[in-house]
Amino acid sequence: GWNYADIPVAMLCALGVAALAGWLRTGDAWLLPTGIVFLAAGTLTKSEGLMFALAAFAAALAVLAFTQRHRLRPLLVGVAAFAAAILPWRLYVLVHDLKPQDYELSNLLDPSFLADGSDRLWPAATELLDQMTITDNWGLLLPLLGCALVTALLRGRYEVAFFGTLWLSLSFAGLLLVYWINELPLDHNLFNTSYRTIATLMIGAGLLVPPLVAELLSPTREKA
């Protein structure tokens, strides 16, 4: 019932993350371009979509760098395709000087600004975590994800578990950065946005459960 872009961007990015997780698990070629398409669509829906997409690519690259380096090349090709898909809009934004009204990304490079706003981090983190644990809104998604992650790790199924953990961690950190560099009063901003900015994390968490559970339906990988 929220008439905001946070919900469609959450659905698109979550589907992209789930597709990448499926590709990491199975290697099915069609899942990689599917993930790229959904992540590009999420990026073009709302500016924060780029953050969630970059977090997904960073998590996937990190996992493959330690587990299956021979699969880095197709992922890098996918990242290049993603960049090509969003480039026209990014150029339009640049040419017409379209910027978010409540924050400047350049503030990330301003040590004095960051130092002055460092007291925003803890309240923002606790508020986001509180919103993520409201069962009336999200049910038991987080405990369900936690059980799936632990079980997958115990069975030696690491790729999707590490990918999901990294993506959620990087995305949460990205949201904190947005609130850190935001120029609006923190209490007012959190009250009006925190319940919906975490939608991508929560829907993504829910869609990560099936790839994790699917790992349990096949025999444990033979050790070399």
Side-chain angles (χ1 to χ4, degrees):
W2 303 336
N3 189 24
Y4 295 104
D6 300 87
I7 303 308
V9 77
M11 294 178 177
L12 292 168
C13 288
L15 286 168
V17 168
L20 278 186
W23 177 71
L24 289 172
R25 182 180 69 83
T26 66
D28 288 347
W30 67 275
L31 285 169
L32 179 57
T34 299
I36 299 300
V37 168
F38 278 121
L39 290 173
T43 299
L44 295 173
T45 301
K46 195 179 182 199
S47 58
E48 285 83 353
L50 179 60
M51 176 188 70
F52 296 122
L54 293 179
F57 293 135
L61 287 168
V63 168
L64 292 181
F66 284 98
T67 59
Q68 303 179 52
R69 292 188 178 182
H70 64 282
R71 298 177 66 192
L72 283 172
R73 182 175 180 179
L75 179 57
L76 290 173
V77 171
V79 172
F82 168 84
I86 69 171
L87 181 60
W89 171 245
R90 300 310 303 176
L91 290 176
Y92 182 89
V93 168
L94 181 63
V95 169
H96 294 275
D97 195 28
L98 302 179
K99 299 178 181 179
Q101 296 181 352
D102 49 354
Y103 65 86
E104 292 279 354
L105 290 177
S106 59
N107 289 337
L108 288 171
L109 304 177
D110 186 344
S112 61
F113 182 91
L114 294 177
D116 291 341
S118 60
D119 59 341
R120 299 168 65 95
L121 285 172
W122 179 250
T126 54
E127 173 64 18
L128 291 176
L129 289 172
D130 286 345
Q131 290 293 332
M132 293 170 68
T133 55
I134 296 177
T135 55
D136 286 347
N137 290 344
W138 303 108
L140 298 175
L141 272 180
L142 289 185
L144 179 63
L145 176 66
C147 291
L149 285 170
V150 170
T151 307
L153 288 172
L154 290 175
R155 288 182 55 88
R157 306 293 191 170
Y158 301 119
E159 287 88 351
V160 178
F162 288 159
F163 169 75
T165 302
L166 279 173
W167 177 73
L168 287 169
S169 300
L170 291 172
S171 296
F172 187 85
L175 287 179
L176 284 184
L177 286 178
V178 171
Y179 284 107
W180 190 3
I181 65 175
N182 206 293
E183 298 175 357
L184 295 175
L186 182 61
D187 289 344
H188 180 268
N189 194 21
L190 285 172
F191 178 79
N192 285 291
T193 65
S194 60
Y195 68 94
R196 50 188 171 87
T197 55
I198 49 95
T200 301
L201 276 71
M202 299 306 295
I203 297 176
L207 292 190
L208 281 169
V209 171
L212 287 164
V213 174
E215 289 281 338
L216 310 179
L217 303 180
S218 56
T220 303
R221 180 182 303 161
E222 295 182 3
K223 303 297 182 183

